[in-house]
Amino acid sequence: MEEHSTMFHVVPMRVLVAVWLALMVLTVITVAATWVDLGSFNLWLAMAIATLKASLVVLYFMHMRYDHPFNAIVFIGALLFVMLFVGLALIDTRAYQPELIPGYAPGMGGKS
Amino acid sequence: MHSAESHVAHHFPHAKAQVEAGKLGMWIFLATEILLFGGLFCAYAVYRANHPEIFVYAHHFLNKILGGINTVVLICSSFTMAWAVRAAQLSQQDKLVRLLAVTIFCGFVFLGIKYVEYEHKWKEGLLWGKRYKPVHQELTKPKDVPPPKPLPWVNPEEQSTLPPPAVPPQGLSPEVKGFSQEGVVPQNVQLFFSVYFLMTGLHGLHVVAGMVVLFWVLLRARRGQFSSAYFTPVDLAGLYWHLVDLIWIYLFPLLYLIH
């Protein structure tokens, strides 16, 4: 086992259980947060909790904390590109917002 | 030859290099998966920014309880998967097989609940695009505005896709009231269901693919092929399964818990 201990990291059982419990509690908090009206902050709160949950899964269940850092660069790089993609699309969307007709969504194949 | 080295391909200097290369390959694949779903998340963001009233209205047709149970099921399956990797690392063969079986079972539970949800929407006609034909018309048509009667010389089958002329663009005249108010049904609700079925459908396909891979790993684990010396397939299948969980962690609040 001495040779293998340098090859990979075994996540302690209590860490796995703690992460699982934290994910459960955060799921309950996500649902409970929708009972409180915080305006547009509700969406940001839900996204923040989801990101916290995702970080727990990636760091401990997916071993990223113990892994080679290059894997993290690949993963976070993909996330940054998605954020860039969505962010630029939203900036463009906002620019066209004044020309929208409320309740009218063309190109979705339904009867209007 | 050392038993731990028997799995090492000849172009790798040692087992650690092979394990690292395998993991890097998996992470690059997961990056492409994130970009694939990123396109759908982008579509979601643009449509929700443009038509928030449709999303607020339509999300009431999703069952929050079933969605919540599915979230819990996937988190539990992620936990058993991480535990299975640990069992493989510690050469606990029986435990590994059992934990993989539980993980696959959780996948079946997830798909079963998804089936119940899809079937309900199918019966209610809450589908994508042109297939959006809600059964309960009183729920989806404004009560106070009767539908315009076609003139006798107009073929009632032909309907313009243009917006009614009485609805002016914002900014040119007083804002149209009613579209974002509670209790009034917005038009083009099929937009939400197109996004919903695309995102959950693609995610569901990933669950099926993950279960197939896990089943293959399970068969190999039953033959006792994994131990602390070699467990890369368990590890990489686990990474894929966790990604499926990750995507659902975002899908659940974005689709089911719109405020």
Side-chain angles (χ1 to χ4, degrees), chain B residues 24-231:
Chain B
L24 176 61
M26 194 64 200
W27 277 107
I28 291 173
F29 173 64
L30 296 188
T32 68
E33 290 280 67
I34 289 167
L35 296 173
L36 169 68
F37 276 93
L40 292 180
F41 278 108
C42 183
Y44 173 94
V46 168
Y47 280 126
R48 184 166 171 184
N50 279 343
H51 307 285
E53 73 282 352
I54 292 175
F55 281 74
V56 169
Y57 167 78
H59 97 280
H60 291 296
F61 292 102
L62 302 191
N63 192 326
K64 280 193 182 91
I65 295 168
L66 290 183
I69 292 172
N70 257 354
T71 309
V72 169
V73 167
L74 270 196
I75 286 174
C76 289
S77 77
S78 248
F79 171 62
T80 55
M81 189 66 233
W83 194 357
V85 171
R86 185 187 141 86
Q89 288 174 330
L90 299 175
S91 304
Q92 298 164 330
Q93 313 261 3
D94 293 341
K95 206 183 226 178
L96 170 63
V97 170
R98 275 201 298 273
L99 286 167
L100 285 173
V102 172
T103 309
I104 294 170
F105 175 74
C106 285
F108 275 115
V109 173
F110 179 88
L111 290 178
I113 293 175
K114 206 77 230 154
Y115 170 76
V116 171
E117 289 188 75
Y118 276 3
E119 194 204 21
H120 174 253
K121 274 167 206 68
W122 187 273
K123 281 185 179 158
E124 297 285 312
L126 302 170
L127 298 175
W128 53 89
K130 280 178 180 160
R131 288 176 178 267
Y132 178 73
K133 292 181 180 97
V135 174
H136 298 292
Q137 292 290 329
E138 75 277 6
L139 282 176
T140 51
K141 281 246 170 91
K143 279 171 195 160
D144 46 348
V145 185
K149 287 194 180 91
L151 295 169
W153 58 82
V154 173
N155 179 4
E157 297 296 313
E158 276 181 21
Q159 284 192 323
S160 171
T161 54
L162 295 172
V167 181
Q170 262 180 335
L172 296 177
S173 54
E175 201 177 315
V176 183
K177 284 180 182 166
F179 281 106
S180 57
Q181 284 171 357
E182 283 292 319
V184 176
V185 178
Q187 296 179 55
N188 299 100
V189 179
Q190 75 279 357
L191 186 153
F192 176 84
F193 289 101
S194 298
V195 171
Y196 167 81
F197 277 104
L198 257 180
M199 294 185 99
T200 59
L202 188 64
H203 178 265
L205 283 180
H206 279 76
V207 173
V208 173
M211 286 165 67
V212 171
V213 172
L214 284 180
F215 187 68
W216 170 70
V217 172
L218 173 72
L219 289 182
R220 291 190 61 182
R222 273 174 61 110
R223 287 188 225 124
Q225 293 184 355
F226 303 123
S227 67
S228 60
Y230 177 70
F231 58 89

Side-chain angles (χ1 to χ4, degrees), chain A residues 70-87:
Chain A
F70 193 73
N71 294 344
I73 293 172
V74 170
F75 183 71
I76 293 166
L79 290 183
L80 286 178
F81 274 107
V82 168
M83 282 158 74
L84 188 71
F85 180 31
V86 174

Side-chain angles (χ1 to χ4, degrees), chain A residues 8-9 11 13 24 27 34 37 51 62 67 71 75 93 97-98 100-101 103-105 108-112, chain B residues 23 27 34 47 49-51 72 75-76 83 86 89 129-130 159 161 170 187-188 190-191 228 239 250 259:
Chain A
F8 55 82
H9 182 275
V11 185
M13 201 58 216
M24 291 302 218
T27 304
T34 58
D37 190 6
T51 305
M62 296 170 95
D67 243 6
N71 294 344
F75 183 71
T93 301
Q97 214 103 39
L100 281 182
I101 299 163
Y104 177 57
M108 292 305 292
K111 287 186 277 182
S112 56
Chain B
K23 274 195 174 180
W27 277 107
I34 289 167
Y47 280 126
N50 279 343
H51 307 285
V72 169
I75 286 174
C76 289
W83 194 357
R86 185 187 141 86
Q89 288 174 330
K130 280 178 180 160
Q159 284 192 323
T161 54
Q170 262 180 335
Q187 296 179 55
N188 299 100
Q190 75 279 357
L191 186 153
S228 60
L239 286 179
Y250 282 94
H259 208 286

